[in-house]
Amino acid sequence: MFWTAARTIDAAALGPRNIDHDGVLIYRQSKVGKPAHVPWNSALPAVARGWALELRQVKDALQVTSGGFTFLEANGKVRSVKGLGNLIAESARTAGIGKSAHGLRKSRLTAIAEAGGSAHAIMAWGGHQTLQEADGTRVQRS
């Protein structure tokens, strides 16, 4: 959830089929109908190069827990949006993170801004529709 900055409704459906031939995880967001582009098997953009270990850990964890149609399946079944949201909240509490799925999304986009990412980088990763939405992320944490 943190790596992709996906909303829960979209994260529940993400899987290997969302990775294009260039190694970018692309999905159309349910809320706004716009695509989000997240580096996956591609070279990391400059703003995310320091996060290579994090991506490796995400991918390693998914290999252990998945292998199915979606990344976040449970016992071979696609998770419901509500179930995934509850799992994220519980896992965040257990880990002492204290963030909801939405909080993880916002944290990733803020991290891009704090690493010097442009509004366009935030828009691509988070699938924002307008520069104002992306600039809002930059302003909130600046």
Side-chain angles (χ1 to χ4, degrees), residues 34-79:
K34 300 289 183 185
H37 299 81
V38 180
W40 195 260
N41 294 327
S42 58
L44 293 175
V47 70
R49 286 197 185 118
W51 305 336
L53 177 60
E54 178 188 339
L55 177 57
R56 172 71 352 222
Q57 291 169 333
V58 166
K59 290 164 85 173
D60 287 349
L62 289 175
Q63 286 180 343
V64 169
T65 61
S66 190
F69 186 65
T70 67
F71 290 134
L72 300 174
E73 287 181 10
N75 302 319
K77 295 182 181 180
V78 175
R79 291 185 188 273

Short mmCIF file of all heavy atoms in Angstrom, two decimals, residues 34-79:
data_model
loop_
_atom_site.label_atom_id
_atom_site.label_comp_id
_atom_site.label_asym_id
_atom_site.label_seq_id
_atom_site.Cartn_x
_atom_site.Cartn_y
_atom_site.Cartn_z
N LYS A 34 -8.43 7.81 -13.81
CA LYS A 34 -7.15 8.18 -14.42
C LYS A 34 -6.09 7.14 -14.05
O LYS A 34 -6.14 6.54 -12.99
CB LYS A 34 -6.69 9.55 -13.92
CG LYS A 34 -7.65 10.67 -14.24
CD LYS A 34 -7.66 10.99 -15.70
CE LYS A 34 -8.58 12.16 -15.99
NZ LYS A 34 -8.71 12.43 -17.37
N PRO A 35 -5.10 6.96 -14.93
CA PRO A 35 -4.07 5.97 -14.62
C PRO A 35 -3.04 6.49 -13.61
O PRO A 35 -2.78 7.68 -13.53
CB PRO A 35 -3.40 5.73 -15.98
CG PRO A 35 -3.63 6.99 -16.74
CD PRO A 35 -4.94 7.54 -16.26
N ALA A 36 -2.50 5.56 -12.85
CA ALA A 36 -1.36 5.82 -11.98
C ALA A 36 -0.21 4.98 -12.52
O ALA A 36 -0.43 3.87 -13.02
CB ALA A 36 -1.67 5.45 -10.53
N HIS A 37 1.00 5.51 -12.44
CA HIS A 37 2.19 4.82 -12.96
C HIS A 37 3.20 4.72 -11.82
O HIS A 37 3.71 5.73 -11.35
CB HIS A 37 2.81 5.62 -14.11
CG HIS A 37 1.88 5.78 -15.27
ND1 HIS A 37 0.89 6.74 -15.32
CD2 HIS A 37 1.79 5.08 -16.42
CE1 HIS A 37 0.24 6.64 -16.45
NE2 HIS A 37 0.76 5.64 -17.14
N VAL A 38 3.50 3.49 -11.42
CA VAL A 38 4.39 3.25 -10.28
C VAL A 38 5.55 2.38 -10.75
O VAL A 38 5.33 1.31 -11.33
CB VAL A 38 3.62 2.54 -9.15
CG1 VAL A 38 4.52 2.27 -7.96
CG2 VAL A 38 2.39 3.36 -8.73
N PRO A 39 6.80 2.80 -10.51
CA PRO A 39 7.92 1.95 -10.91
C PRO A 39 7.85 0.61 -10.19
O PRO A 39 7.56 0.55 -8.99
CB PRO A 39 9.15 2.76 -10.50
CG PRO A 39 8.67 3.80 -9.54
CD PRO A 39 7.22 3.99 -9.78
N TRP A 40 8.11 -0.45 -10.94
CA TRP A 40 8.05 -1.79 -10.35
C TRP A 40 9.27 -2.60 -10.76
O TRP A 40 10.11 -2.90 -9.93
CB TRP A 40 6.75 -2.48 -10.78
CG TRP A 40 6.44 -3.68 -9.96
CD1 TRP A 40 6.67 -4.99 -10.29
CD2 TRP A 40 5.85 -3.70 -8.66
NE1 TRP A 40 6.26 -5.80 -9.28
CE2 TRP A 40 5.76 -5.04 -8.27
CE3 TRP A 40 5.41 -2.71 -7.79
CZ2 TRP A 40 5.23 -5.43 -7.04
CZ3 TRP A 40 4.87 -3.10 -6.58
CH2 TRP A 40 4.79 -4.44 -6.21
N ASN A 41 9.38 -2.94 -12.03
CA ASN A 41 10.56 -3.65 -12.53
C ASN A 41 11.41 -2.73 -13.40
O ASN A 41 12.37 -3.17 -14.00
CB ASN A 41 10.14 -4.87 -13.35
CG ASN A 41 9.46 -5.93 -12.51
OD1 ASN A 41 9.79 -6.10 -11.34
ND2 ASN A 41 8.50 -6.63 -13.08
N SER A 42 11.04 -1.49 -13.45
CA SER A 42 11.75 -0.50 -14.26
C SER A 42 12.78 0.22 -13.38
O SER A 42 12.77 0.07 -12.16
CB SER A 42 10.76 0.53 -14.81
OG SER A 42 10.07 1.15 -13.74
N ALA A 43 13.63 0.99 -14.03
CA ALA A 43 14.57 1.82 -13.27
C ALA A 43 13.77 2.82 -12.44
O ALA A 43 12.76 3.36 -12.90
CB ALA A 43 15.50 2.55 -14.23
N LEU A 44 14.22 3.04 -11.22
CA LEU A 44 13.53 4.01 -10.37
C LEU A 44 13.85 5.42 -10.83
O LEU A 44 15.00 5.71 -11.21
CB LEU A 44 13.97 3.84 -8.91
CG LEU A 44 13.54 2.54 -8.24
CD1 LEU A 44 14.13 2.44 -6.84
CD2 LEU A 44 12.03 2.45 -8.18
N PRO A 45 12.87 6.30 -10.80
CA PRO A 45 13.15 7.69 -11.14
C PRO A 45 14.08 8.29 -10.08
O PRO A 45 14.20 7.76 -8.97
CB PRO A 45 11.77 8.36 -11.11
CG PRO A 45 10.92 7.48 -10.27
CD PRO A 45 11.48 6.09 -10.42
N ALA A 46 14.72 9.38 -10.42
CA ALA A 46 15.70 10.00 -9.52
C ALA A 46 15.14 10.22 -8.12
O ALA A 46 15.81 9.96 -7.12
CB ALA A 46 16.18 11.33 -10.11
N VAL A 47 13.90 10.65 -8.02
CA VAL A 47 13.29 10.95 -6.73
C VAL A 47 13.16 9.69 -5.86
O VAL A 47 13.13 9.79 -4.64
CB VAL A 47 11.93 11.64 -6.92
CG1 VAL A 47 10.89 10.68 -7.48
CG2 VAL A 47 11.44 12.28 -5.66
N ALA A 48 13.15 8.50 -6.46
CA ALA A 48 12.92 7.27 -5.71
C ALA A 48 14.14 6.35 -5.65
O ALA A 48 14.04 5.26 -5.10
CB ALA A 48 11.75 6.51 -6.33
N ARG A 49 15.26 6.78 -6.15
CA ARG A 49 16.43 5.89 -6.19
C ARG A 49 16.87 5.42 -4.81
O ARG A 49 17.35 4.31 -4.64
CB ARG A 49 17.58 6.56 -6.93
CG ARG A 49 17.30 6.56 -8.41
CD ARG A 49 18.51 6.81 -9.27
NE ARG A 49 18.05 6.91 -10.64
CZ ARG A 49 18.18 7.99 -11.38
NH1 ARG A 49 18.81 9.05 -10.92
NH2 ARG A 49 17.71 8.01 -12.60
N GLY A 50 16.67 6.24 -3.80
CA GLY A 50 17.03 5.85 -2.44
C GLY A 50 16.06 4.85 -1.83
O GLY A 50 16.28 4.37 -0.72
N TRP A 51 15.01 4.50 -2.55
CA TRP A 51 14.00 3.58 -2.04
C TRP A 51 14.11 2.19 -2.65
O TRP A 51 13.20 1.37 -2.53
CB TRP A 51 12.60 4.14 -2.31
CG TRP A 51 12.36 5.52 -1.78
CD1 TRP A 51 13.01 6.13 -0.74
CD2 TRP A 51 11.42 6.47 -2.26
NE1 TRP A 51 12.51 7.39 -0.54
CE2 TRP A 51 11.53 7.63 -1.46
CE3 TRP A 51 10.48 6.46 -3.27
CZ2 TRP A 51 10.75 8.76 -1.65
CZ3 TRP A 51 9.69 7.58 -3.47
CH2 TRP A 51 9.83 8.72 -2.66
N ALA A 52 15.24 1.88 -3.28
CA ALA A 52 15.40 0.59 -3.95
C ALA A 52 15.26 -0.58 -2.97
O ALA A 52 14.62 -1.59 -3.29
CB ALA A 52 16.75 0.53 -4.66
N LEU A 53 15.84 -0.46 -1.78
CA LEU A 53 15.72 -1.53 -0.79
C LEU A 53 14.26 -1.73 -0.38
O LEU A 53 13.79 -2.86 -0.25
CB LEU A 53 16.57 -1.22 0.45
CG LEU A 53 16.46 -2.23 1.58
CD1 LEU A 53 16.88 -3.62 1.13
CD2 LEU A 53 17.29 -1.78 2.78
N GLU A 54 13.55 -0.64 -0.20
CA GLU A 54 12.13 -0.73 0.15
C GLU A 54 11.35 -1.50 -0.92
O GLU A 54 10.56 -2.38 -0.61
CB GLU A 54 11.55 0.67 0.32
CG GLU A 54 10.08 0.68 0.65
CD GLU A 54 9.48 2.08 0.62
OE1 GLU A 54 10.22 3.07 0.74
OE2 GLU A 54 8.25 2.16 0.47
N LEU A 55 11.59 -1.17 -2.18
CA LEU A 55 10.90 -1.87 -3.27
C LEU A 55 11.25 -3.35 -3.25
O LEU A 55 10.38 -4.21 -3.42
CB LEU A 55 11.23 -1.25 -4.62
CG LEU A 55 10.63 -1.94 -5.84
CD1 LEU A 55 9.10 -2.02 -5.76
CD2 LEU A 55 11.06 -1.23 -7.13
N ARG A 56 12.51 -3.67 -3.04
CA ARG A 56 12.95 -5.08 -2.99
C ARG A 56 12.21 -5.81 -1.87
O ARG A 56 11.74 -6.94 -2.03
CB ARG A 56 14.47 -5.15 -2.77
CG ARG A 56 15.03 -6.50 -2.51
CD ARG A 56 15.10 -7.53 -3.65
NE ARG A 56 14.46 -7.19 -4.86
CZ ARG A 56 13.71 -8.00 -5.64
NH1 ARG A 56 13.54 -9.24 -5.37
NH2 ARG A 56 13.14 -7.62 -6.72
N GLN A 57 12.08 -5.17 -0.71
CA GLN A 57 11.38 -5.79 0.42
C GLN A 57 9.90 -6.01 0.10
O GLN A 57 9.33 -7.05 0.45
CB GLN A 57 11.53 -4.93 1.68
CG GLN A 57 12.95 -4.93 2.21
CD GLN A 57 13.18 -3.89 3.29
OE1 GLN A 57 12.53 -2.86 3.35
NE2 GLN A 57 14.16 -4.17 4.15
N VAL A 58 9.29 -5.05 -0.57
CA VAL A 58 7.88 -5.19 -0.96
C VAL A 58 7.73 -6.39 -1.90
O VAL A 58 6.87 -7.25 -1.71
CB VAL A 58 7.37 -3.90 -1.65
CG1 VAL A 58 6.04 -4.13 -2.35
CG2 VAL A 58 7.25 -2.77 -0.65
N LYS A 59 8.59 -6.45 -2.89
CA LYS A 59 8.49 -7.53 -3.87
C LYS A 59 8.78 -8.88 -3.23
O LYS A 59 8.11 -9.88 -3.53
CB LYS A 59 9.42 -7.25 -5.03
CG LYS A 59 8.92 -6.07 -5.87
CD LYS A 59 9.97 -5.51 -6.78
CE LYS A 59 10.05 -6.24 -8.07
NZ LYS A 59 10.96 -5.59 -9.03
N ASP A 60 9.75 -8.94 -2.32
CA ASP A 60 10.05 -10.19 -1.62
C ASP A 60 8.86 -10.65 -0.78
O ASP A 60 8.50 -11.82 -0.77
CB ASP A 60 11.28 -10.04 -0.72
CG ASP A 60 12.58 -9.97 -1.50
OD1 ASP A 60 12.58 -10.24 -2.73
OD2 ASP A 60 13.61 -9.61 -0.88
N ALA A 61 8.22 -9.71 -0.09
CA ALA A 61 7.06 -10.05 0.73
C ALA A 61 5.92 -10.55 -0.14
O ALA A 61 5.21 -11.50 0.23
CB ALA A 61 6.62 -8.84 1.55
N LEU A 62 5.73 -9.95 -1.28
CA LEU A 62 4.65 -10.37 -2.17
C LEU A 62 4.89 -11.76 -2.75
O LEU A 62 3.96 -12.52 -2.96
CB LEU A 62 4.44 -9.36 -3.29
CG LEU A 62 3.83 -8.04 -2.87
CD1 LEU A 62 3.78 -7.07 -4.05
CD2 LEU A 62 2.45 -8.22 -2.27
N GLN A 63 6.15 -12.11 -2.97
CA GLN A 63 6.45 -13.44 -3.50
C GLN A 63 6.11 -14.51 -2.47
O GLN A 63 5.69 -15.60 -2.82
CB GLN A 63 7.92 -13.54 -3.89
CG GLN A 63 8.24 -12.81 -5.16
CD GLN A 63 9.70 -12.90 -5.53
OE1 GLN A 63 10.55 -13.25 -4.71
NE2 GLN A 63 10.00 -12.61 -6.77
N VAL A 64 6.26 -14.19 -1.21
CA VAL A 64 5.95 -15.14 -0.15
C VAL A 64 4.45 -15.29 0.02
O VAL A 64 3.95 -16.38 0.23
CB VAL A 64 6.60 -14.68 1.19
CG1 VAL A 64 6.08 -15.50 2.36
CG2 VAL A 64 8.10 -14.76 1.10
N THR A 65 3.72 -14.18 -0.09
CA THR A 65 2.30 -14.20 0.23
C THR A 65 1.39 -14.34 -0.98
O THR A 65 0.20 -14.54 -0.82
CB THR A 65 1.89 -12.91 0.97
OG1 THR A 65 2.15 -11.79 0.11
CG2 THR A 65 2.65 -12.75 2.26
N SER A 66 1.92 -14.20 -2.18
CA SER A 66 1.04 -14.18 -3.34
C SER A 66 1.41 -15.27 -4.32
O SER A 66 1.95 -16.29 -3.95
CB SER A 66 1.10 -12.80 -4.02
OG SER A 66 0.10 -12.71 -4.99
N GLY A 67 1.17 -15.01 -5.54
CA GLY A 67 1.40 -15.98 -6.59
C GLY A 67 0.12 -16.19 -7.38
O GLY A 67 0.05 -17.01 -8.26
N GLY A 68 -0.86 -15.42 -7.01
CA GLY A 68 -2.15 -15.56 -7.66
C GLY A 68 -2.47 -14.42 -8.60
O GLY A 68 -1.60 -13.74 -9.13
N PHE A 69 -3.75 -14.20 -8.77
CA PHE A 69 -4.27 -13.19 -9.67
C PHE A 69 -3.96 -11.77 -9.18
O PHE A 69 -3.66 -10.89 -9.96
CB PHE A 69 -5.78 -13.41 -9.81
CG PHE A 69 -6.43 -12.53 -10.82
CD1 PHE A 69 -6.14 -12.63 -12.17
CD2 PHE A 69 -7.35 -11.58 -10.42
CE1 PHE A 69 -6.75 -11.82 -13.10
CE2 PHE A 69 -7.98 -10.75 -11.35
CZ PHE A 69 -7.67 -10.88 -12.69
N THR A 70 -4.02 -11.57 -7.86
CA THR A 70 -3.69 -10.27 -7.29
C THR A 70 -2.54 -10.42 -6.30
O THR A 70 -2.26 -11.51 -5.81
CB THR A 70 -4.90 -9.63 -6.55
OG1 THR A 70 -5.20 -10.41 -5.39
CG2 THR A 70 -6.12 -9.54 -7.46
N PHE A 71 -1.88 -9.31 -6.00
CA PHE A 71 -0.76 -9.34 -5.07
C PHE A 71 -1.18 -9.64 -3.64
O PHE A 71 -0.43 -10.23 -2.88
CB PHE A 71 -0.03 -7.99 -5.07
CG PHE A 71 0.74 -7.69 -6.33
CD1 PHE A 71 0.63 -6.44 -6.91
CD2 PHE A 71 1.56 -8.63 -6.92
CE1 PHE A 71 1.35 -6.13 -8.05
CE2 PHE A 71 2.28 -8.34 -8.07
CZ PHE A 71 2.16 -7.08 -8.64
N LEU A 72 -2.36 -9.20 -3.26
CA LEU A 72 -2.75 -9.26 -1.85
C LEU A 72 -3.83 -10.30 -1.56
O LEU A 72 -4.63 -10.14 -0.65
CB LEU A 72 -3.21 -7.86 -1.40
CG LEU A 72 -2.15 -6.77 -1.54
CD1 LEU A 72 -2.73 -5.40 -1.21
CD2 LEU A 72 -0.95 -7.07 -0.65
N GLU A 73 -3.82 -11.39 -2.31
CA GLU A 73 -4.79 -12.45 -2.09
C GLU A 73 -4.59 -13.09 -0.72
O GLU A 73 -3.50 -13.05 -0.16
CB GLU A 73 -4.64 -13.54 -3.16
CG GLU A 73 -5.14 -13.11 -4.50
CD GLU A 73 -5.01 -14.21 -5.55
OE1 GLU A 73 -4.70 -15.37 -5.21
OE2 GLU A 73 -5.23 -13.90 -6.72
N ALA A 74 -5.66 -13.70 -0.23
CA ALA A 74 -5.59 -14.46 1.01
C ALA A 74 -6.13 -15.86 0.74
O ALA A 74 -7.26 -16.01 0.28
CB ALA A 74 -6.42 -13.78 2.09
N ASN A 75 -5.30 -16.86 0.96
CA ASN A 75 -5.71 -18.26 0.73
C ASN A 75 -6.26 -18.47 -0.68
O ASN A 75 -7.25 -19.17 -0.87
CB ASN A 75 -6.75 -18.68 1.78
CG ASN A 75 -6.21 -18.55 3.19
OD1 ASN A 75 -5.06 -18.88 3.45
ND2 ASN A 75 -7.03 -18.06 4.08
N GLY A 76 -5.63 -17.82 -1.65
CA GLY A 76 -6.03 -17.99 -3.04
C GLY A 76 -7.27 -17.22 -3.44
O GLY A 76 -7.78 -17.40 -4.53
N LYS A 77 -7.76 -16.35 -2.56
CA LYS A 77 -8.96 -15.57 -2.87
C LYS A 77 -8.64 -14.08 -2.83
O LYS A 77 -7.88 -13.63 -1.98
CB LYS A 77 -10.07 -15.87 -1.86
CG LYS A 77 -10.56 -17.29 -1.91
CD LYS A 77 -11.68 -17.52 -0.93
CE LYS A 77 -12.12 -18.97 -1.01
NZ LYS A 77 -13.20 -19.25 -0.08
N VAL A 78 -9.23 -13.36 -3.77
CA VAL A 78 -9.05 -11.91 -3.81
C VAL A 78 -9.66 -11.32 -2.54
O VAL A 78 -10.77 -11.69 -2.15
CB VAL A 78 -9.72 -11.31 -5.07
CG1 VAL A 78 -9.66 -9.80 -5.06
CG2 VAL A 78 -9.06 -11.88 -6.32
N ARG A 79 -8.94 -10.41 -1.91
CA ARG A 79 -9.45 -9.77 -0.70
C ARG A 79 -10.53 -8.77 -1.04
O ARG A 79 -10.46 -8.10 -2.07
CB ARG A 79 -8.33 -9.03 0.03
CG ARG A 79 -7.30 -9.92 0.64
CD ARG A 79 -6.29 -9.07 1.43
NE ARG A 79 -5.19 -9.87 1.89
CZ ARG A 79 -5.18 -10.55 3.03
NH1 ARG A 79 -6.22 -10.52 3.82
NH2 ARG A 79 -4.13 -11.27 3.37
#
